[in-house]
């Protein structure tokens, strides 16, 4: 048996177990002959699996087991009526009959129906009960699996398969996650179910004791758990910029009595400005924690000291922030295309004034073409960053390629976005009219954070600083005693957060 370890966002190290053949090829013999009544093996060498329940999940699970080569027997309260709904190869019979013929038993019933299984309590003794149930809402306290274990103490309860939907089972796992989280107080039963999951084409993950079922049952009920912080940051930044633009363009001018019809431009023009500020600010927020982490490691003189909790959480949502940056950029590009005209971007077009004072607009000026060029390049390269974040694409890249795209190319995108923003207002950067509302223009405000970030990044690239950061990341420690030998590779070491330069 081999185990591949995986670290999750909560810091818990879990193992994806792979069980290898012991070397025997299961040639025909008495040990492989079917003993259906005792639930051993058929000629296929697969152990008979029972399913209690005849709903959608039970039917999809039976089909998946049959396709994986397992003999399946389904226990139903009305087998004659439900037999026609199951795939060929799955035998539908009574619950007691199904229980008597299998050691592994899937319970595809809801928690409120557990009591209906009490009449079969004696037959269930000694069986491995695989609880696949879920709740309709998050609950505190005892899990369904723990409740089931209390009702049937003579049986061994294993929690698993609850994170896979009936649709995923019936569709052959196309496009979905193959991870199955398994937990039980019985190590042997847990490994048995994990082997079953692997034989069905899943990637089993060992979650430990049955108490972990509380967390496993909560997984399907959480809505985008890894996106919560990133979405809060996105909404917060967007609302701030939207309120800022409303004050400058609508509220202040309405108070002064100038251009009172500006409220009619809120749906597209004002919102477009807010998305422009949100896009470049979120892009900065993707790379700010990496710079902070470098300075934190310089200050601590080691990479083995954990970052502050707020920085650690921030670094874990950089991928989500990057994808939200792409979203804001796309919306900004489309809204800009909708209103692209001299009426909104007059200083980016050539202007000719007739003797009677009429202004005629001609072709786009150099500033306008440069503005469009760097905006298009930023959006295109940002799309590459987004595509490289797709798991299937990420898995096809080696570490050097991934680091180049996500780090080096990401900084190029930020520089292009700064040029795109700077060119837009370079000719009027110090125009007194821009400060009439006692605030900075949006293009000025959105250059503040990128300027600070680029300055800090330049500091980390200085030879005297960059070389020290590289040494620390390779394991050097400033305060390490001279007589302490290097940590052996087989000794456990504290892991620091994934960090992008």
């Amino acid at each position: 048996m081999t185990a591949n370890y995986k670290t999750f966002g909560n810091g818990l190290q879990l193992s994806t177990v792979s069980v290898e053949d012991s070397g025997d090829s299961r040639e025909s013999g008495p040990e492989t002959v079917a003993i259906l009544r005792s639930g051993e093996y058929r000629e296929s060498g697969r152990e008979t699996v029972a399913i209690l329940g005849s709903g959608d999940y039970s039917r999809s699970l039976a089909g998946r087991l049959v396709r994986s080569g397992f003999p399946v027997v389904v226990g139903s309260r009305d087998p004659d009526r439900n037999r026609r709904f199951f795939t060929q190869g799955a035998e539908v019979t009574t619950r007691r009959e199904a229980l008597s013929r299998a050691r592994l038993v899937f319970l595809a019933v809801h928690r409120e129906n557990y009591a209906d299984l009490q009449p079969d309590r004696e037959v269930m003794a000694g069986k491995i009960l695989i609880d696949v149930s879920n709740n309709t809402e998050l609950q505190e306290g005892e899990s369904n699996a723990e409740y089931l274990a209390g009702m049937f103490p003579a049986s061994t309860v294993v929690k698993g398969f609850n994170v896979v939907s009936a649709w995923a089972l019936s569709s052959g796992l196309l496009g979905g996650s193959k991870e199955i989280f398994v937990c039980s107080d019985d190590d042997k039963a847990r490994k048995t179910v994990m082997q079953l999951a692997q034989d069905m084409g899943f990637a089993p993950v060992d979650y430990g004791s049955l108490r972990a079922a509380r967390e496993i049952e909560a997984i399907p009920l959480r809505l985008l758990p890894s996106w919560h912080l990133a979405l809060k940051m996105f909404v917060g930044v967007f609302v701030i910029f939207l309120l800022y633009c409303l004050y400058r363009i609508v509220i202040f001018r309405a108070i002064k009595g100038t251009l009172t019809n500006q409220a009619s431009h809120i749906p597209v023009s004002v919102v477009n400005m807010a998305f422009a500020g949100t896009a470049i600010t979120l892009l900065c927020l993707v790379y700010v924690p990496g710079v902070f982490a470098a300075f934190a490691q310089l200050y601590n003189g080691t990479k083995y000291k954990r970052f502050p909790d707020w920085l650690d959480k921030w670094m874990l949502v950089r991928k989500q922030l990057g994808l939200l940056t792409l979203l804001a950029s796309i919306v900004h590009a489309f809204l800009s295309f909708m209103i692209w005209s001299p009426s909104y971007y007059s200083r980016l077009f050539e202007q000719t004034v007739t003797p009677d004072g009429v202004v005629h607009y001609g072709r786009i000026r150099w500033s306008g073409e440069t503005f469009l060029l760097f905006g298009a390049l930023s959006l295109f390269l940002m799309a590459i960053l987004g595509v490289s974040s797709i798991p299937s694409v990420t898995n096809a890249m080696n570490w050097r390629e991934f680091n180049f795209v996500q780090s080096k190319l990401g900084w190029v995108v930020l520089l292009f976005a700064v040029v795109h923003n700077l060119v837009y207002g370079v000719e009027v950067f110090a125009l007194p009219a821009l400060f009439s509302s006692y605030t900075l223009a949006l293009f000025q405000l959105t250059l503040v954070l990128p300027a600070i970030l680029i300055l800090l990044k330049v500091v980390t690239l200085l030879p005297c600083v960059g070389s020290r950061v590289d040494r620390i990341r390779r394991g050097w420690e400033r305060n390490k005693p001279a007589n302490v030998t290097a940590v052996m590779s087989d000794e456990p070491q504290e892991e620091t957060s994934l960090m992008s330069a």
Side-chain angles (χ1 to χ4, degrees), residues 109-115 133-135 139 142-144 147 151 217:
V109 297
H110 297 290
R111 174 172 177 158
E112 55 267 23
N113 296 326
Y114 288 169
S133 66
N134 280 318
N135 296 310
Q139 297 182 355
E142 189 179 48
S143 65
N144 292 351
Y147 175 70
M151 291 185 65
E217 291 178 4

Side-chain angles (χ1 to χ4, degrees), residues 224 226-235 275 278-280 282-283 286 317-331 382 386:
L224 302 175
S226 61
W227 286 77
H228 288 177
L229 179 58
L231 287 172
K232 290 178 181 177
M233 297 174 72
F234 172 79
V235 172
F275 271 111
T278 301
I280 192 170
L282 285 181
L283 183 59
V286 172
V317 299
R318 289 178 295 174
K319 174 182 176 180
Q320 290 81 355
L321 285 174
L323 293 175
L324 291 173
T325 301
L326 177 59
L327 172 64
S329 302
I330 292 174
V331 174
M382 199 174 298

